[in-house]
Amino acid sequence: MGGVPSTPRNTGSDEISVAEYLIATFVGEKSFPLASDFWNKLLELPLSSRWPSERVHQACELFAQSNGYTRHLAKLLIHLSWCLQELLQASDAQSSIYKKAVNATYISSVFLKHLIENGKSDSLEELHLSLDESEPVPHGFVMDQDIQNFVMHSVLSFIGSTKVSPNSYVLHQELLNFMLVTMSTQLRSVPSSGPRYANPFIDAAMAQEKSLVCLAVRRLLLNYISRHGTPPNAKPYLYSDGDSAGILERVGSAAATFVLLPLNYLVKSSGDGSKSPLAECSLHVLLILTNYHKAVMSDESMTDKSDDSATSESKVHVFSSGNTFSKALGNARDVEFDRSDVEGNAYPGPDVRIPFASLFDTLGMNLADEGAVLLLYSLLQGNSDFKEYVLVRTDLDTMLMPILETLYNASRRTSSNQIYMMLIVLLILSQDSSFNSSVHKMILPNVPWYKEHLLHQTSLGSLMVIILIRTVQHNLSKLRDVYLQTTCLATLANMAPHAHHLSAYASQRLVSLFYMLSRKYNKLSDLTGEKLQSIKISMSEEDNGVSEDLAAELQIFTDFLRLVLDILNAILTYALPRNPEIVYAVMHRQEVFQPFKNHPRFHELVENIYTVLDFFNSRMDSERSDREWSVQKVLQFIINNCRSWRGEGMKMFTQLHFSYEQESHPEEFFIPYVWQLAFSRSGFSFNPDAINLFPAPHQVEKQTEDGRGEEVDVKEKVQELSEQRIVFDP
């Protein structure tokens, strides 16, 4: 053990046999020590070396059997770390060290992924991330930390400290792919499973020092902002024409820069395309890291002293440990502005400095992608500096128009996850009064993608109202999701007091929404009454259960209807002179409010609407005589009389304000969601039978083909989002 295998002479046509021999030796039963020259030979294989994919599968199977004895995975990871450390000190990125680092990264990814996918134990003992005690080590080498900590420190150091250039692009891409593989241990875990499942590499990443974490987060964000294309010198390595089989057979699709291996080993060849795979992969690695929460167990002893024979009982608590990457993202600062200059208090320790302007523009251009929406949500929710930056931008349409267009097209191609995240983003923004004022002052010349009505010279605020109401109406007829409904109405309620020159179409849609909800409310009210009569007659338990369901649904629509009345009241109470179109819409459809004038739940709010109606109707009656009232004449009459409106007789209600609040275990929703994005966008694939984190891709596709996918998705979403709360702030 420790000798160097003799290899075939490397003379052109023998190159494939050399590669095959070295890989076969690597997966064989003979163990080579760290200092053996075998590792240099293995890692110095040409980057264009090829091997049939079915042979790769065979090699992985053999490796799984021998690794427990040889510990070759652990040794390969150590060599990977050494290569990266050398590169950080070297100036020539095209040196043999660079090639060795790329090969070490790639080969590690292939065999590590196979072991993770096929692991039998929750603790993933099959990885054998340690050296045998009798293992000879090179002189001066001291392994004073876990191998996973050693390799993650080296990988994050290289990513964080090295700029992406044409010469370093391939290694950066492979290291990000390697990160996805190491973190894929999460796919084997069940949501809310506590600390049962092992995630050794991602736990090791969380244990790195703050300065290194900040460097890595900064580089991942800069990769996403810069959106580097694949350089010409990297394409022969990352992509192949598919004519020749090989050990490193590459994917011919720009969607996936992983190798194409048997059974979709690392990539899906059918993934969506990406012009910047490095940016996509950087985003997904960042999202996985920032949303990770390690479940930690703690024992609390409890002693029963009720009698002399006291017994001790242990109570187990599960809680999430801190996430250094999430904190680094939340503390990111703008390179153009140092808050310490204004407040006189410098931030202690290292932080992430990035160009907020470039990040804002990049997000605005890519919000049709779910990953961009999730990053925007993370920044708005967790980074107060970036949220403040967004709110003071004068070009909010850069960010809002892609969101509104996606919501407009939601019924055709948008996932329910994406709808939720976009609506939450709008709710978070609407919590700021300056935002609500700004969106009504920004005028859009036209909105070409809105087909139902010609929107010309419409304010951005009016467009938001139109799209939110449209989303509510679509939800009422198709999805019937209470959480989605509440989010839309909460956002409208936040915006209402700040409405400014709401367009005629937006005003009409708001009154139509009230009418639509009132019809549903009346229908449910009648059904509930009939069912109560039926119960009195039959005394059936089944009827009683149905009645309870109807009563619950009636209560929901009662709340929705009241909330829409609150929205109308807020506009009429605080912004009537600035919104003659809403007065016109209310006058035009005033009959829809009549049935609720004496309703115990609504009469106070409806009284205010009738106070407004009485004011304008009485003045119109006094001027009506024999003149004909056209739409324009009525509107001009309203505008003229708005000047004399003083709000006399209006009852003042508490101004509604809703805020979004993330509960204690958001990872139960976000971790599965982020990994599904990685599957769909970065091309990463995993054995479906090994996935416990969320429904396997082939199961989701089958549901979609059967026409049942949408219903299942919505029901699951209500449950998943149950801990994300919308809070009324009195």
Side-chain angles (χ1 to χ4, degrees):
M1 186 175 78
V4 180
S6 59
T7 57
R9 186 173 299 173
N10 190 359
T11 56
S13 61
D14 291 334
E15 183 178 291
I16 294 177
S17 63
V18 171
E20 184 167 340
Y21 178 81
L22 289 171
I23 293 294
T25 304
F26 171 70
V27 303
E29 295 180 355
K30 185 175 181 179
S31 175
F32 292 92
L34 279 169
S36 171
D37 194 48
F38 163 75
W39 298 104
N40 287 328
K41 293 191 175 203
L42 176 68
L43 299 182
E44 287 175 356
L45 285 171
L47 297 182
S48 58
S49 297
R50 304 188 181 280
W51 210 26
S53 58
E54 64 272 10
R55 300 296 304 278
V56 178
H57 180 69
Q58 295 172 8
C60 288
E61 293 288 343
L62 290 171
F63 183 75
Q65 299 173 26
S66 64
N67 181 56
Y69 168 70
T70 64
R71 304 297 170 102
H72 277 181
L73 176 62
K75 295 170 188 177
L76 182 59
L77 293 176
I78 291 173
H79 276 278
L80 168 59
S81 300
W82 286 345
C83 290
L84 294 175
Q85 290 171 3
E86 287 186 69
L87 279 176
L88 286 172
Q89 300 169 4
S91 57
D92 184 9
Q94 292 296 332
S95 66
S96 61
I97 305 172
Y98 174 82
K99 180 169 69 173
K100 288 171 65 177
V102 172
N103 274 335
T105 307
Y106 170 69
I107 296 172
S108 297
S109 297
V110 172
F111 292 100
L112 178 60
K113 180 175 180 291
H114 178 85
L115 292 177
I116 293 173
E117 278 184 316
N118 295 278
K120 303 300 181 185
S121 65
D122 296 340
S123 59
L124 287 174
E125 296 173 357
E126 298 87 349
L127 301 183
H128 297 290
L129 297 174
S130 63
L131 298 179
D132 192 273
E133 292 181 0
S134 61
E135 177 73 34
V137 296
H139 178 70
F141 174 71
V142 179
M143 180 56 71
D144 59 352
Q145 57 183 322
D146 295 334
I147 289 176
Q148 57 266 33
N149 281 312
F150 187 55
V151 69
M152 293 307 286
H153 179 86
S154 300
V155 170
L156 292 173
S157 294
F158 184 87
I159 291 174
S161 304
T162 309
K163 290 183 178 180
V164 177
S165 67
N167 291 333
S168 67
Y169 182 95
V170 170
L171 182 53
H172 270 278
Q173 181 69 68
E174 286 296 348
L175 287 172
L176 291 172
N177 295 342
F178 173 78
M179 289 285 291
L180 282 176
V181 170
T182 62
M183 296 186 294
S184 67
T185 53
Q186 286 187 292
L187 294 171
R188 303 177 72 249
S189 63
V190 178
S192 308
S193 59
R196 170 184 165 190
Y197 292 90
N199 297 291
F201 291 97
I202 195 168
D203 286 341
M206 296 296 147
Q208 302 304 313
E209 59 269 23
K210 181 180 177 182
S211 58
L212 178 56
V213 170
C214 288
L215 283 174
V217 170
R218 176 179 177 273
R219 176 58 53 201
L220 293 173
L221 284 170
L222 290 177
N223 287 351
Y224 180 69
I225 292 170
S226 302
R227 311 193 74 73
H228 305 279
T230 306
N233 66 331
K235 290 180 179 178
Y237 171 72
L238 293 175
Y239 311 115
S240 73
D241 55 13
D243 294 334
S244 57
I247 185 174
L248 302 180
E249 185 179 352
R250 298 290 166 175
V251 177
S253 165
T257 55
F258 279 170
V259 295
L260 181 61
L261 291 173
L263 305 179
N264 284 335
Y265 232 69
L266 290 178
V267 296
K268 294 186 297 184
S269 58
S270 61
D272 296 333
S274 169
K275 295 181 180 178
S276 181
L278 187 72
E280 294 283 355
C281 202
S282 296
L283 175 61
H284 295 131
V285 169
L286 178 64
L287 291 174
I288 291 169
L289 286 168
T290 54
N291 284 286
Y292 177 70
H293 289 266
K294 181 180 180 180
V296 179
M297 301 282 287
S298 68
D299 291 341
E300 179 182 299
S301 294
M302 299 178 64
T303 303
D304 184 3
K305 299 181 179 180
S306 59
D307 55 27
D308 295 336
S309 58
T311 58
S312 181
E313 182 182 337
S314 180
K315 185 177 181 181
V316 178
H317 295 276
V318 179
F319 62 94
S320 297
S321 61
N323 184 314
T324 53
F325 287 85
S326 178
K327 291 176 182 176
L329 183 65
N331 291 327
R333 308 290 173 234
D334 189 1
V335 293
E336 302 296 332
F337 178 67
D338 188 348
R339 207 153 132 193
S340 63
D341 295 337
V342 177
E343 299 181 355
N345 299 314
Y347 290 97
D351 56 24
V352 178
R353 302 298 297 271
I354 53 173
F356 277 4
S358 299
L359 180 57
F360 179 92
D361 293 338
T362 302
L363 287 170
M365 290 185 293
N366 293 280
L367 283 174
D369 173 56
E370 291 186 70
V373 177
L374 190 49
L375 178 59
L376 175 59
Y377 162 82
S378 300
L379 289 165
L380 292 176
Q381 174 67 14
N383 190 308
S384 58
D385 278 28
F386 185 77
K387 182 179 178 181
E388 290 176 14
Y389 176 83
V390 170
L391 292 171
V392 299
R393 288 280 297 222
T394 57
D395 57 343
L396 284 169
D397 56 319
T398 301
M399 187 167 287
L400 292 178
M401 289 299 283
I403 292 177
L404 297 176
E405 183 176 2
T406 303
L407 290 174
Y408 175 78
N409 294 311
S411 60
R412 290 201 291 269
R413 62 176 182 267
T414 309
S415 75
S416 57
N417 285 344
Q418 190 174 7
I419 296 173
Y420 280 100
M421 297 315 302
M422 286 185 164
L423 291 175
I424 290 172
V425 164
L426 294 180
L427 176 60
I428 291 172
L429 292 173
S430 73
Q431 292 167 201
D432 185 84
S433 58
S434 64
F435 167 84
N436 294 323
S437 298
S438 298
V439 292
H440 286 287
K441 296 175 182 177
M442 183 173 295
I443 304 300
L444 306 170
N446 56 71
V447 186
W449 44 262
Y450 195 93
K451 304 301 183 183
E452 285 86 346
H453 189 86
L454 178 63
L455 300 180
H456 181 66
Q457 295 296 315
T458 300
S459 71
L460 183 58
S462 291
L463 181 61
M464 279 186 67
V465 171
I466 292 167
I467 297 299
L468 287 169
I469 291 173
R470 189 178 186 274
T471 303
V472 170
Q473 291 174 328
H474 171 72
N475 179 59
L476 281 173
S477 60
K478 302 289 185 181
L479 306 179
R480 303 179 62 170
D481 188 327
V482 174
Y483 183 83
L484 184 149
Q485 203 88 322
T486 305
T487 306
C488 291
L489 295 177
T491 304
L492 288 169
N494 286 346
M495 296 176 65
H498 310 278
H500 188 88
H501 290 297
L502 204 62
S503 71
Y505 185 60
S507 302
Q508 293 165 17
R509 300 315 300 157
L510 187 55
V511 175
S512 295
L513 175 61
F514 174 82
Y515 178 61
M516 183 179 185
L517 288 169
S518 68
R519 290 182 62 189
K520 181 67 175 177
Y521 171 85
N522 288 330
K523 183 178 179 181
L524 283 170
S525 184
D526 292 341
L527 284 173
T528 304
E530 292 173 5
K531 190 58 65 176
L532 286 173
Q533 286 293 101
S534 174
I535 292 172
K536 290 179 181 179
I537 297 172
S538 66
M539 300 298 289
S540 167
E541 291 185 6
E542 181 180 348
D543 284 345
N544 191 36
V546 173
S547 178
E548 289 178 358
D549 291 341
L550 282 173
E553 190 172 4
L554 179 62
Q555 182 59 51
I556 289 171
F557 275 88
T558 301
D559 294 339
F560 287 160
L561 199 57
R562 185 174 177 85
L563 192 48
V564 174
L565 285 172
D566 276 318
I567 292 167
L568 287 168
N569 259 271
I571 299 174
L572 296 175
T573 302
Y574 300 102
L576 185 148
R578 304 190 303 269
N579 293 281
E581 292 287 3
I582 197 71
V583 176
Y584 180 91
V586 170
M587 292 181 68
H588 182 66
R589 300 290 304 277
Q590 54 188 290
E591 73 281 355
V592 304
F593 302 101
Q594 181 63 39
F596 301 93
K597 195 171 184 180
N598 298 314
H599 195 289
R601 287 294 306 273
F602 308 118
H603 71 92
E604 289 184 336
L605 293 167
V606 175
E607 279 181 13
N608 271 355
I609 293 175
Y610 272 93
T611 298
V612 173
L613 287 172
D614 292 344
F615 177 86
F616 287 94
N617 284 335
S618 62
R619 281 159 177 74
M620 181 173 285
D621 290 340
S622 64
E623 294 188 16
R624 184 165 288 169
S625 61
D626 295 328
R627 63 183 295 187
E628 294 183 1
W629 291 89
S630 64
V631 173
Q632 289 302 320
K633 288 180 179 179
V634 172
L635 185 59
Q636 188 59 52
F637 165 82
I638 292 171
I639 293 172
N640 293 337
N641 281 272
C642 277
R643 298 167 187 165
S644 58
W645 168 258
R646 298 292 181 267
E648 296 176 0
M650 296 285 282
K651 292 183 178 179
M652 302 299 292
F653 297 98
T654 302
Q655 188 169 316
L656 295 183
H657 189 270
F658 294 88
S659 60
Y660 171 76
E661 182 178 292
Q662 183 172 276
E663 281 294 333
S664 56
H665 296 286
E667 68 277 5
E668 294 178 9
F669 166 74
F670 288 107
I671 290 177
Y673 181 28
V674 170
W675 273 108
Q676 290 179 68
L677 293 184
F679 268 72
S680 64
R681 295 295 301 172
S682 71
F684 183 80
S685 72
F686 204 80
N687 177 11
D689 294 330
I691 298 175
N692 296 317
L693 187 64
F694 53 81
H698 67 283
Q699 295 174 347
V700 174
E701 291 171 5
K702 187 176 186 303
Q703 285 179 352
T704 303
E705 291 172 2
D706 293 344
R708 298 192 300 268
E710 185 68 26
E711 181 180 357
V712 172
D713 191 43
V714 170
K715 289 181 178 178
E716 290 176 351
K717 193 57 52 203
V718 174
Q719 184 176 2
E720 290 170 348
L721 284 169
S722 61
E723 292 200 355
Q724 317 302 318
R725 297 195 301 173
I726 299 173
V727 181
F728 170 60
D729 300 327

